[in-house]
Amino acid sequence: MISRRRFLSGLGGAAVLLPALESVKFLGGRARAASSENPVFSVFVRQGNGCQQAIPGRDEPDRFWPSELGVLTQDKLATDNADRAVSELAEYADSLLMVSGTRYGFPGNGCGHTGGLNQCLTAAKVTGQGKDSLAAGESIDWFLSQRVNPDGVEPLNLMSGPQSAYIAHGLSYSGPQQLRGASNNPFAVYQDLVGLAGASQELLEAIALRRRSVNDLVREEMQDLLGKSYLSAADRERLQTHFDVIRDIEINMSCQLTDSEVTALEDISGAAEDNGNRIAVAEMMMDLIAMAFSCDANRVATLQIGTGNDGTRYTVNGELQNTFHRISHRIDGDGDEGAPIPNADLLHHEIDRIYARMFKHLLDRLSIYTSASGAPLLDDTMALWTNDLASGPPHSYRNLPQIVAGKAGGFLKTGQYIDAGDVTHNKFLNTLISAAGVCKADDSPYDSFGDTELEPGVIPAMIA
Protein backbone atom coordinates (compact mmCIF):
# COMPACT_ATOMS: atom_id res chain seq x y z
CA MET A 1 0.00 0.00 0.00
CA ILE A 2 2.81 2.43 0.92
CA SER A 3 4.53 1.90 -2.42
CA ARG A 4 1.43 3.10 -4.27
CA ARG A 5 1.32 6.43 -2.48
CA ARG A 6 2.89 9.77 -3.34
CA PHE A 7 5.32 10.89 -0.64
CA LEU A 8 7.88 13.45 0.31
CA SER A 9 10.40 11.72 2.56
CA GLY A 10 12.84 13.45 4.85
CA LEU A 11 14.82 13.10 8.07
CA GLY A 12 14.46 10.05 10.26
CA GLY A 13 12.08 8.29 7.90
CA ALA A 14 9.36 10.96 8.23
CA ALA A 15 7.05 11.29 5.26
CA VAL A 16 4.26 13.48 3.96
CA LEU A 17 1.56 12.06 1.72
CA LEU A 18 0.96 14.52 -1.12
CA PRO A 19 -2.45 15.72 -2.29
CA ALA A 20 -3.66 15.06 -5.81
CA LEU A 21 -2.35 17.83 -8.08
CA GLU A 22 -3.71 18.99 -11.40
CA SER A 23 -0.24 19.68 -12.84
CA VAL A 24 1.48 16.35 -12.19
CA LYS A 25 0.91 12.79 -11.21
CA PHE A 26 3.61 11.05 -9.19
CA LEU A 27 4.40 7.46 -10.03
CA GLY A 28 7.56 5.83 -8.74
CA GLY A 29 9.21 9.21 -8.20
CA ARG A 30 8.64 10.47 -11.75
CA ALA A 31 6.21 13.10 -12.90
CA ARG A 32 3.94 12.73 -15.88
CA ALA A 33 0.88 14.47 -17.28
CA ALA A 34 -2.11 14.23 -14.99
CA SER A 35 -4.81 11.67 -15.70
CA SER A 36 -8.21 12.86 -16.84
CA GLU A 37 -9.85 10.47 -14.41
CA ASN A 38 -12.10 12.18 -11.87
CA PRO A 39 -12.59 9.61 -9.08
CA VAL A 40 -15.51 9.54 -6.65
CA PHE A 41 -14.66 8.97 -2.99
CA SER A 42 -17.03 7.12 -0.63
CA VAL A 43 -17.29 7.33 3.15
CA PHE A 44 -19.90 5.60 5.30
CA VAL A 45 -20.49 6.95 8.83
CA ARG A 46 -22.55 4.79 11.15
CA GLN A 47 -24.60 5.82 14.20
CA GLY A 48 -26.23 3.24 16.46
CA ASN A 49 -29.48 3.06 18.43
CA GLY A 50 -31.72 4.61 15.79
CA CYS A 51 -32.79 8.23 15.52
CA GLN A 52 -35.60 10.04 17.32
CA GLN A 53 -38.35 10.10 14.74
CA ALA A 54 -42.11 9.58 14.78
CA ILE A 55 -42.95 5.99 15.69
CA PRO A 56 -46.36 4.42 14.97
CA GLY A 57 -48.15 3.70 18.23
CA ARG A 58 -45.93 5.96 20.35
CA ASP A 59 -46.58 9.55 21.37
CA GLU A 60 -43.37 11.03 20.00
CA PRO A 61 -43.27 13.77 17.37
CA ASP A 62 -40.73 13.62 14.56
CA ARG A 63 -37.63 15.62 15.42
CA PHE A 64 -35.26 14.13 12.83
CA TRP A 65 -36.47 14.52 9.23
CA PRO A 66 -37.43 17.80 7.54
CA SER A 67 -41.11 18.64 7.92
CA GLU A 68 -41.89 18.10 4.23
CA LEU A 69 -40.54 16.36 1.16
CA GLY A 70 -38.99 18.32 -1.68
CA VAL A 71 -36.24 20.82 -2.29
CA LEU A 72 -33.79 21.54 0.53
CA THR A 73 -32.47 25.04 1.02
CA GLN A 74 -30.25 26.47 3.72
CA ASP A 75 -33.02 28.77 4.94
CA LYS A 76 -35.63 26.01 4.93
CA LEU A 77 -33.44 23.71 7.02
CA ALA A 78 -32.08 26.34 9.39
CA THR A 79 -35.34 28.25 9.97
CA ASP A 80 -38.42 26.21 9.03
CA ASN A 81 -36.88 23.01 10.44
CA ALA A 82 -34.85 24.42 13.31
CA ASP A 83 -36.45 21.84 15.63
CA ARG A 84 -35.19 18.94 13.50
CA ALA A 85 -31.81 17.23 13.96
CA VAL A 86 -30.93 17.64 10.28
CA SER A 87 -31.06 21.43 10.69
CA GLU A 88 -27.47 21.12 11.92
CA LEU A 89 -26.54 20.45 8.28
CA ALA A 90 -28.29 23.54 6.85
CA GLU A 91 -25.04 25.03 5.55
CA TYR A 92 -24.74 22.11 3.13
CA ALA A 93 -28.37 21.99 2.00
CA ASP A 94 -27.59 22.03 -1.72
CA SER A 95 -25.15 19.11 -1.28
CA LEU A 96 -27.56 16.91 0.70
CA LEU A 97 -29.79 14.06 -0.42
CA MET A 98 -32.05 12.82 2.38
CA VAL A 99 -33.72 9.49 1.68
CA SER A 100 -36.56 8.13 3.81
CA GLY A 101 -38.54 5.02 3.02
CA THR A 102 -35.83 2.34 3.04
CA ARG A 103 -35.78 -0.76 5.23
CA TYR A 104 -33.64 -3.80 6.00
CA GLY A 105 -34.69 -6.95 4.18
CA PHE A 106 -34.15 -9.53 6.93
CA PRO A 107 -34.84 -10.03 10.67
CA GLY A 108 -32.10 -9.63 13.22
CA ASN A 109 -31.93 -13.22 14.55
CA GLY A 110 -32.52 -12.40 18.20
CA CYS A 111 -30.76 -9.03 18.53
CA GLY A 112 -31.92 -5.90 16.79
CA HIS A 113 -28.55 -4.19 17.21
CA THR A 114 -26.35 -6.85 15.63
CA GLY A 115 -28.97 -7.60 12.99
CA GLY A 116 -29.01 -3.96 11.95
CA LEU A 117 -25.25 -3.50 12.18
CA ASN A 118 -24.67 -6.58 10.03
CA GLN A 119 -27.15 -5.49 7.36
CA CYS A 120 -26.25 -1.80 7.42
CA LEU A 121 -23.67 -1.90 4.61
CA THR A 122 -24.22 -5.45 3.34
CA ALA A 123 -27.96 -5.86 2.58
CA ALA A 124 -27.25 -9.51 3.40
CA LYS A 125 -28.96 -12.12 5.56
CA VAL A 126 -27.88 -12.44 9.18
CA THR A 127 -26.27 -15.74 10.20
CA GLY A 128 -25.99 -17.05 13.74
CA GLN A 129 -27.92 -15.85 16.76
CA GLY A 130 -28.00 -12.83 19.04
CA LYS A 131 -24.91 -10.73 19.66
CA ASP A 132 -22.68 -13.27 17.90
CA SER A 133 -24.50 -13.11 14.56
CA LEU A 134 -22.66 -12.13 11.38
CA ALA A 135 -23.50 -10.90 7.88
CA ALA A 136 -23.77 -13.45 5.08
CA GLY A 137 -22.22 -11.16 2.48
CA GLU A 138 -19.63 -8.48 1.77
CA SER A 139 -20.19 -4.82 2.64
CA ILE A 140 -20.40 -1.96 0.16
CA ASP A 141 -17.06 -0.48 1.23
CA TRP A 142 -15.23 -3.73 0.40
CA PHE A 143 -17.19 -4.17 -2.84
CA LEU A 144 -16.25 -0.65 -3.97
CA SER A 145 -12.62 -0.86 -2.87
CA GLN A 146 -12.10 -3.91 -5.08
CA ARG A 147 -13.20 -1.83 -8.06
CA VAL A 148 -12.00 1.73 -7.42
CA ASN A 149 -8.81 1.26 -5.34
CA PRO A 150 -5.48 -0.05 -6.65
CA ASP A 151 -4.88 -3.76 -6.09
CA GLY A 152 -4.13 -4.49 -2.46
CA VAL A 153 -5.49 -1.22 -1.05
CA GLU A 154 -8.25 -2.17 1.36
CA PRO A 155 -10.85 0.37 2.47
CA LEU A 156 -10.16 2.29 5.65
CA ASN A 157 -12.23 0.72 8.44
CA LEU A 158 -12.22 3.06 11.42
CA MET A 159 -14.00 3.26 14.74
CA SER A 160 -14.45 5.65 17.65
CA GLY A 161 -15.09 3.55 20.73
CA PRO A 162 -13.90 0.44 22.58
CA GLN A 163 -13.24 -2.72 20.61
CA SER A 164 -14.07 -4.95 23.56
CA ALA A 165 -17.79 -4.73 24.28
CA TYR A 166 -20.99 -6.76 24.38
CA ILE A 167 -21.28 -5.87 20.69
CA ALA A 168 -18.16 -4.21 19.30
CA HIS A 169 -17.37 -3.42 15.67
CA GLY A 170 -19.39 -5.03 12.90
CA LEU A 171 -19.65 -2.69 9.93
CA SER A 172 -17.22 -3.94 7.29
CA TYR A 173 -17.15 -7.41 5.68
CA SER A 174 -14.79 -8.79 3.04
CA GLY A 175 -17.15 -11.70 2.37
CA PRO A 176 -19.76 -13.92 4.07
CA GLN A 177 -19.05 -13.96 7.82
CA GLN A 178 -15.66 -12.31 7.14
CA LEU A 179 -15.84 -9.42 9.58
CA ARG A 180 -12.98 -6.93 9.22
CA GLY A 181 -11.32 -5.39 12.25
CA ALA A 182 -11.76 -1.66 12.85
CA SER A 183 -8.89 0.65 13.83
CA ASN A 184 -9.79 2.86 16.79
CA ASN A 185 -6.42 4.54 17.40
CA PRO A 186 -6.25 7.69 15.25
CA PHE A 187 -2.54 8.18 15.74
CA ALA A 188 -1.82 4.67 14.47
CA VAL A 189 -4.01 5.38 11.42
CA TYR A 190 -2.15 8.64 10.89
CA GLN A 191 1.24 6.93 11.15
CA ASP A 192 0.23 4.46 8.47
CA LEU A 193 -1.18 7.13 6.17
CA VAL A 194 1.91 9.33 6.27
CA GLY A 195 4.40 6.47 6.19
CA LEU A 196 5.49 6.57 9.84
CA ALA A 197 4.58 2.97 10.61
CA GLY A 198 7.86 1.40 11.72
CA ALA A 199 9.60 4.75 12.30
CA SER A 200 11.94 5.08 15.28
CA GLN A 201 10.44 5.72 18.71
CA GLU A 202 12.68 8.79 19.06
CA LEU A 203 11.17 10.33 15.94
CA LEU A 204 7.62 9.46 16.99
CA GLU A 205 8.07 10.99 20.42
CA ALA A 206 9.56 14.16 18.91
CA ILE A 207 6.49 14.58 16.72
CA ALA A 208 4.07 13.75 19.54
CA LEU A 209 5.64 16.32 21.84
CA ARG A 210 5.40 18.92 19.06
CA ARG A 211 9.13 19.65 19.14
CA ARG A 212 8.96 18.88 15.44
CA SER A 213 6.29 18.26 12.86
CA VAL A 214 6.38 15.79 10.01
CA ASN A 215 6.22 18.92 7.84
CA ASP A 216 9.39 20.25 9.46
CA LEU A 217 11.26 17.02 8.86
CA VAL A 218 10.55 17.11 5.12
CA ARG A 219 10.83 20.89 4.72
CA GLU A 220 13.70 20.78 2.21
CA GLU A 221 11.76 18.46 -0.08
CA MET A 222 8.62 20.57 0.38
CA GLN A 223 10.39 23.74 -0.69
CA ASP A 224 11.90 21.98 -3.68
CA LEU A 225 8.49 20.73 -4.79
CA LEU A 226 6.85 24.14 -4.29
CA GLY A 227 9.53 25.67 -6.49
CA LYS A 228 8.79 23.47 -9.49
CA SER A 229 7.90 25.60 -12.50
CA TYR A 230 5.27 23.15 -13.74
CA LEU A 231 3.14 23.57 -10.60
CA SER A 232 0.09 25.78 -11.08
CA ALA A 233 -0.87 28.46 -8.60
CA ALA A 234 -3.84 26.30 -7.58
CA ASP A 235 -1.51 23.36 -6.88
CA ARG A 236 0.77 25.51 -4.73
CA GLU A 237 -2.24 26.66 -2.72
CA ARG A 238 -3.46 23.07 -2.46
CA LEU A 239 -0.08 21.92 -1.14
CA GLN A 240 0.09 24.69 1.46
CA THR A 241 -3.42 23.91 2.67
CA HIS A 242 -2.48 20.23 2.91
CA PHE A 243 0.64 20.93 4.98
CA ASP A 244 -1.36 23.22 7.30
CA VAL A 245 -3.98 20.50 7.83
CA ILE A 246 -1.29 17.93 8.66
CA ARG A 247 0.12 20.23 11.34
CA ASP A 248 -3.38 20.82 12.76
CA ILE A 249 -4.01 17.06 12.89
CA GLU A 250 -0.71 16.49 14.73
CA ILE A 251 -1.51 19.16 17.30
CA ASN A 252 -5.06 17.94 17.90
CA MET A 253 -3.96 14.33 18.29
CA SER A 254 -1.17 15.25 20.66
CA CYS A 255 -3.68 17.02 22.89
CA GLN A 256 -5.73 13.83 23.11
CA LEU A 257 -2.98 11.48 24.23
CA THR A 258 -3.24 12.30 27.96
CA ASP A 259 -4.80 14.95 30.18
CA SER A 260 -1.38 16.46 30.93
CA GLU A 261 1.83 16.83 28.95
CA VAL A 262 2.24 14.19 26.25
CA THR A 263 4.97 11.74 27.25
CA ALA A 264 4.61 8.85 24.85
CA LEU A 265 2.68 8.11 21.69
CA GLU A 266 1.40 4.78 22.93
CA ASP A 267 -0.75 6.56 25.53
CA ILE A 268 -3.32 7.17 22.80
CA SER A 269 -4.19 3.48 22.76
CA GLY A 270 -6.01 3.80 26.08
CA ALA A 271 -7.32 7.34 25.77
CA ALA A 272 -8.83 6.73 22.34
CA GLU A 273 -11.44 4.43 23.90
CA ASP A 274 -12.37 6.77 26.77
CA ASN A 275 -16.00 7.85 26.88
CA GLY A 276 -15.02 11.51 27.03
CA ASN A 277 -13.03 11.21 23.79
CA ARG A 278 -15.78 9.67 21.67
CA ILE A 279 -16.51 12.83 19.68
CA ALA A 280 -12.89 14.00 19.51
CA VAL A 281 -11.66 10.64 18.19
CA ALA A 282 -14.51 10.44 15.65
CA GLU A 283 -13.59 13.89 14.34
CA MET A 284 -9.90 12.95 14.18
CA MET A 285 -10.83 9.92 12.09
CA MET A 286 -12.86 12.19 9.82
CA ASP A 287 -9.84 14.47 9.42
CA LEU A 288 -7.76 11.47 8.38
CA ILE A 289 -10.39 10.24 5.92
CA ALA A 290 -10.50 13.67 4.27
CA MET A 291 -6.70 13.75 4.11
CA ALA A 292 -6.53 10.25 2.60
CA PHE A 293 -9.11 11.19 -0.02
CA SER A 294 -7.34 14.42 -0.90
CA CYS A 295 -4.15 12.45 -1.56
CA ASP A 296 -6.02 9.72 -3.44
CA ALA A 297 -4.38 7.27 -1.04
CA ASN A 298 -7.71 5.54 -0.56
CA ARG A 299 -11.12 6.10 -2.13
CA VAL A 300 -13.30 4.25 0.37
CA ALA A 301 -13.70 4.46 4.17
CA THR A 302 -16.08 3.48 6.95
CA LEU A 303 -16.39 5.02 10.41
CA GLN A 304 -18.37 3.30 13.16
CA ILE A 305 -19.10 5.65 16.06
CA GLY A 306 -19.79 3.79 19.29
CA THR A 307 -20.21 0.07 19.83
CA GLY A 308 -23.08 -2.09 18.57
CA ASN A 309 -25.49 -1.15 21.36
CA ASP A 310 -23.72 2.15 21.88
CA GLY A 311 -23.24 2.78 25.59
CA THR A 312 -21.55 6.16 25.20
CA ARG A 313 -22.60 8.74 27.78
CA TYR A 314 -23.01 12.06 26.00
CA THR A 315 -23.19 15.48 27.61
CA VAL A 316 -26.50 17.22 26.92
CA ASN A 317 -27.39 20.63 28.31
CA GLY A 318 -24.18 20.64 30.35
CA GLU A 319 -24.89 17.32 32.08
CA LEU A 320 -23.42 13.87 31.50
CA GLN A 321 -26.43 11.72 30.65
CA ASN A 322 -27.30 8.06 30.99
CA THR A 323 -25.92 5.74 28.31
CA PHE A 324 -27.14 6.34 24.77
CA HIS A 325 -28.38 2.74 24.64
CA ARG A 326 -30.62 3.18 27.67
CA ILE A 327 -31.85 6.54 26.41
CA SER A 328 -32.77 4.85 23.14
CA HIS A 329 -34.78 2.30 25.16
CA ARG A 330 -36.36 5.18 27.12
CA ILE A 331 -35.70 3.24 30.34
CA ASP A 332 -32.82 2.85 32.79
CA GLY A 333 -32.01 -0.64 31.62
CA ASP A 334 -30.41 -2.43 28.68
CA GLY A 335 -33.31 -4.85 28.22
CA ASP A 336 -37.08 -4.55 28.55
CA GLU A 337 -37.20 -3.50 32.20
CA GLY A 338 -36.16 -0.35 34.01
CA ALA A 339 -37.44 2.92 35.39
CA PRO A 340 -38.49 5.45 32.73
CA ILE A 341 -35.82 8.03 31.88
CA PRO A 342 -37.43 11.50 32.03
CA ASN A 343 -37.52 13.26 28.65
CA ALA A 344 -35.64 10.38 27.03
CA ASP A 345 -37.06 11.23 23.60
CA LEU A 346 -35.71 14.77 23.89
CA LEU A 347 -32.33 13.47 25.04
CA HIS A 348 -32.25 11.10 22.06
CA HIS A 349 -33.01 14.04 19.78
CA GLU A 350 -30.15 16.04 21.25
CA ILE A 351 -27.79 13.10 20.72
CA ASP A 352 -28.95 12.94 17.09
CA ARG A 353 -27.91 16.59 16.87
CA ILE A 354 -24.48 15.68 18.24
CA TYR A 355 -24.11 13.11 15.46
CA ALA A 356 -25.30 15.63 12.90
CA ARG A 357 -22.61 18.05 14.07
CA MET A 358 -19.99 15.30 13.82
CA PHE A 359 -21.14 14.58 10.27
CA LYS A 360 -20.94 18.29 9.51
CA HIS A 361 -17.33 18.21 10.74
CA LEU A 362 -16.61 15.62 8.04
CA LEU A 363 -18.26 17.81 5.41
CA ASP A 364 -16.26 20.81 6.62
CA ARG A 365 -13.02 18.85 6.25
CA LEU A 366 -13.94 17.59 2.80
CA SER A 367 -14.69 21.19 1.83
CA ILE A 368 -11.24 22.42 2.89
CA TYR A 369 -9.59 20.40 0.14
CA THR A 370 -10.00 20.81 -3.58
CA SER A 371 -9.79 17.97 -6.05
CA ALA A 372 -7.34 17.93 -8.93
CA SER A 373 -10.11 19.40 -11.10
CA GLY A 374 -10.27 22.45 -8.84
CA ALA A 375 -13.71 21.64 -7.38
CA PRO A 376 -14.25 21.17 -3.62
CA LEU A 377 -13.42 17.59 -2.68
CA LEU A 378 -16.96 17.25 -1.27
CA ASP A 379 -18.34 17.56 -4.82
CA ASP A 380 -16.42 14.43 -5.81
CA THR A 381 -17.43 12.56 -2.65
CA MET A 382 -20.38 10.48 -1.56
CA ALA A 383 -20.64 10.67 2.25
CA LEU A 384 -23.36 8.68 4.03
CA TRP A 385 -24.60 9.16 7.60
CA THR A 386 -26.60 6.04 8.37
CA ASN A 387 -27.81 3.97 11.31
CA ASP A 388 -28.16 0.36 12.49
CA LEU A 389 -31.77 1.02 13.40
CA ALA A 390 -34.54 3.33 12.30
CA SER A 391 -35.61 4.38 15.79
CA GLY A 392 -35.01 3.87 19.48
CA PRO A 393 -38.03 1.93 20.66
CA PRO A 394 -39.01 -0.44 19.15
CA HIS A 395 -35.65 -0.83 17.32
CA SER A 396 -37.45 -0.80 13.98
CA TYR A 397 -35.76 -1.65 10.68
CA ARG A 398 -38.27 0.44 8.69
CA ASN A 399 -37.68 4.04 7.54
CA LEU A 400 -33.93 4.02 8.13
CA PRO A 401 -32.27 7.43 8.43
CA GLN A 402 -30.18 7.83 5.27
CA ILE A 403 -28.45 11.18 4.85
CA VAL A 404 -26.13 11.48 1.84
CA ALA A 405 -23.82 14.46 1.29
CA GLY A 406 -21.70 15.27 -1.74
CA LYS A 407 -22.59 15.19 -5.40
CA ALA A 408 -20.51 12.16 -6.43
CA GLY A 409 -19.21 14.08 -9.43
CA GLY A 410 -22.75 15.14 -10.40
CA PHE A 411 -24.38 11.68 -10.34
CA LEU A 412 -26.59 12.32 -7.30
CA LYS A 413 -29.59 14.64 -7.29
CA THR A 414 -28.72 16.69 -4.22
CA GLY A 415 -30.65 19.45 -2.50
CA GLN A 416 -33.59 17.03 -2.10
CA TYR A 417 -35.53 15.17 0.59
CA ILE A 418 -37.26 12.16 -0.99
CA ASP A 419 -39.32 9.15 0.06
CA ALA A 420 -38.06 5.97 -1.61
CA GLY A 421 -41.39 4.22 -0.99
CA ASP A 422 -40.59 1.53 1.62
CA VAL A 423 -38.03 -0.34 -0.49
CA THR A 424 -35.37 -2.70 0.80
CA HIS A 425 -32.17 -0.77 1.26
CA ASN A 426 -30.16 -2.86 -1.20
CA LYS A 427 -31.65 -0.52 -3.82
CA PHE A 428 -30.28 2.43 -1.88
CA LEU A 429 -26.82 0.81 -1.72
CA ASN A 430 -26.99 -0.05 -5.44
CA THR A 431 -27.58 3.63 -6.18
CA LEU A 432 -24.54 4.59 -4.11
CA ILE A 433 -22.43 1.97 -5.90
CA SER A 434 -23.52 3.46 -9.22
CA ALA A 435 -22.70 6.95 -7.92
CA ALA A 436 -19.17 5.75 -7.17
CA GLY A 437 -18.71 4.95 -10.85
CA VAL A 438 -19.39 1.20 -10.82
CA CYS A 439 -21.90 0.13 -13.45
CA LYS A 440 -23.07 -2.92 -15.38
CA ALA A 441 -21.49 -4.07 -18.62
CA ASP A 442 -23.94 -1.98 -20.65
CA ASP A 443 -23.07 1.15 -18.57
CA SER A 444 -26.45 1.16 -16.84
CA PRO A 445 -26.59 1.61 -13.04
CA TYR A 446 -25.41 -1.32 -10.94
CA ASP A 447 -28.47 -3.04 -9.45
CA SER A 448 -27.58 -6.42 -7.91
CA PHE A 449 -25.68 -5.77 -4.67
CA GLY A 450 -26.88 -7.62 -1.56
CA ASP A 451 -28.74 -10.87 -1.05
CA THR A 452 -30.10 -12.52 -4.17
CA GLU A 453 -33.52 -12.91 -2.53
CA LEU A 454 -33.98 -9.14 -2.58
CA GLU A 455 -35.51 -7.49 -5.60
CA PRO A 456 -32.70 -5.83 -7.60
CA GLY A 457 -32.79 -2.21 -8.62
CA VAL A 458 -31.86 1.36 -7.79
CA ILE A 459 -33.77 4.40 -6.53
CA PRO A 460 -34.23 6.56 -9.66
CA ALA A 461 -35.23 9.66 -7.68
CA MET A 462 -31.69 9.79 -6.23
CA ILE A 463 -30.08 10.09 -9.66
CA ALA A 464 -29.55 13.47 -11.31
Side-chain angles (χ1 to χ4, degrees):
M1 187 172 180
I2 297 295
S3 63
R4 295 182 180 275
R5 298 173 179 167
R6 298 181 293 274
F7 284 103
L8 293 181
S9 58
L11 299 175
V16 168
L17 191 60
L18 292 173
L21 304 174
E22 63 185 3
S23 306
V24 296
K25 184 173 183 179
F26 293 90
L27 291 174
R30 297 181 181 180
R32 72 175 188 182
S35 169
S36 60
E37 182 185 9
N38 191 30
V40 171
F41 303 92
S42 306
V43 52
F44 306 94
V45 179
R46 169 269 182 192
Q47 171 186 342
N49 295 331
C51 68
Q52 193 285 313
Q53 60 174 312
I55 306 168
R58 294 187 66 92
D59 186 21
E60 290 190 15
D62 197 324
R63 301 186 182 94
F64 185 83
W65 300 101
S67 56
E68 61 182 16
L69 298 170
V71 175
L72 298 175
T73 66
Q74 184 170 340
D75 183 66
K76 185 180 291 187
L77 277 180
T79 304
D80 299 345
N81 291 277
D83 61 336
R84 307 300 174 103
V86 291
S87 66
E88 300 284 353
L89 304 174
E91 181 180 339
Y92 292 98
D94 65 348
S95 294
L96 296 175
L97 175 56
M98 302 187 185
V99 183
S100 62
T102 69
R103 58 183 170 84
Y104 294 141
F106 304 102
N109 285 15
C111 179
H113 292 281
T114 53
L117 184 58
N118 288 329
Q119 293 184 73
C120 186
L121 298 185
T122 67
K125 287 190 181 76
V126 179
T127 65
Q129 288 293 320
K131 71 180 184 65
D132 298 319
S133 60
L134 295 168
E138 66 182 333
S139 53
I140 184 175
D141 58 304
W142 183 266
F143 177 91
L144 285 176
S145 74
Q146 303 306 296
R147 290 157 178 81
V148 304
N149 273 345
D151 291 342
V153 178
E154 297 185 359
L156 293 172
N157 186 27
L158 311 178
M159 180 180 182
S160 176
Q163 292 181 327
S164 297
Y166 179 75
I167 305 170
H169 58 272
L171 197 60
S172 182
Y173 283 82
S174 60
Q177 302 182 36
Q178 300 300 307
L179 177 63
R180 301 177 63 235
S183 301
N184 70 346
N185 182 338
F187 218 109
V189 175
Y190 170 74
Q191 288 173 318
D192 181 60
L193 281 174
V194 301
L196 283 173
S200 69
Q201 186 66 23
E202 181 180 1
L203 173 64
L204 297 179
E205 290 179 357
I207 294 170
L209 292 169
R210 284 176 282 171
R211 293 192 296 265
R212 301 173 106 175
S213 164
V214 169
N215 288 352
D216 298 328
L217 297 173
V218 299
R219 184 163 302 280
E220 183 176 339
E221 289 82 357
M222 285 166 51
Q223 295 303 319
D224 180 65
L225 176 59
L226 286 167
K228 300 296 185 183
S229 60
Y230 51 72
L231 281 187
S232 67
D235 278 346
R236 289 189 176 89
E237 182 177 355
R238 189 173 292 115
L239 282 166
Q240 189 58 58
T241 298
H242 184 66
F243 297 147
D244 290 344
V245 168
I246 288 176
R247 188 179 295 276
D248 289 344
I249 288 174
E250 289 174 335
I251 291 172
N252 290 337
M253 287 184 177
S254 295
C255 292
Q256 293 300 318
L257 293 177
T258 63
D259 293 333
S260 58
E261 189 71 16
V262 177
T263 58
L265 278 173
E266 56 265 27
D267 290 348
I268 191 67
S269 298
E273 295 193 355
D274 289 356
N275 182 92
N277 284 338
R278 192 75 72 250
I279 296 172
V281 169
E283 292 183 346
M284 288 177 188
M285 294 300 196
M286 291 172 176
D287 295 348
L288 293 169
I289 290 168
M291 186 176 77
F293 285 1
S294 77
C295 304
D296 201 7
N298 207 313
R299 297 181 180 179
V300 189
T302 66
L303 174 58
Q304 177 179 322
I305 304 177
T307 56
N309 52 345
D310 186 5
T312 303
R313 298 182 65 191
Y314 288 100
T315 297
V316 176
N317 300 324
E319 294 185 7
L320 186 66
Q321 301 294 332
N322 207 322
T323 69
F324 184 22
H325 185 229
R326 295 187 175 195
I327 289 170
S328 76
H329 279 233
R330 310 293 191 257
I331 57 174
D332 191 13
D334 294 311
D336 297 329
E337 298 180 358
I341 297 176
N343 299 316
D345 58 328
L346 289 171
L347 292 174
H348 195 152
H349 166 67
E350 292 299 329
I351 293 172
D352 287 340
R353 283 187 174 273
I354 290 172
Y355 275 90
R357 291 193 290 270
M358 283 192 276
F359 189 61
K360 181 180 180 296
H361 178 88
L362 173 63
L363 307 188
D364 289 342
R365 300 305 285 191
L366 290 169
S367 298
I368 288 174
Y369 291 104
T370 56
S371 66
S373 66
L377 184 58
L378 179 59
D379 286 356
D380 291 331
T381 299
M382 173 185 65
L384 173 64
W385 168 27
T386 189
N387 209 306
D388 298 348
L389 305 170
S391 55
H395 287 359
S396 171
Y397 285 176
R398 194 175 295 272
N399 201 32
L400 299 163
Q402 311 280 24
I403 309 298
V404 184
K407 300 178 180 179
F411 183 91
L412 294 173
K413 188 176 183 180
T414 56
Q416 302 285 325
Y417 168 35
I418 68 171
D419 184 345
D422 194 36
V423 300
T424 51
H425 89 300
N426 62 306
K427 294 185 178 182
F428 175 75
L429 297 182
N430 279 327
T431 312
L432 298 186
I433 288 170
S434 302
V438 177
C439 57
K440 295 196 300 185
D442 62 359
D443 291 332
S444 61
Y446 194 88
D447 64 0
S448 56
F449 181 77
D451 193 275
T452 56
E453 288 187 10
L454 300 175
E455 181 183 57
V458 297
I459 300 176
M462 294 177 61
I463 302 173

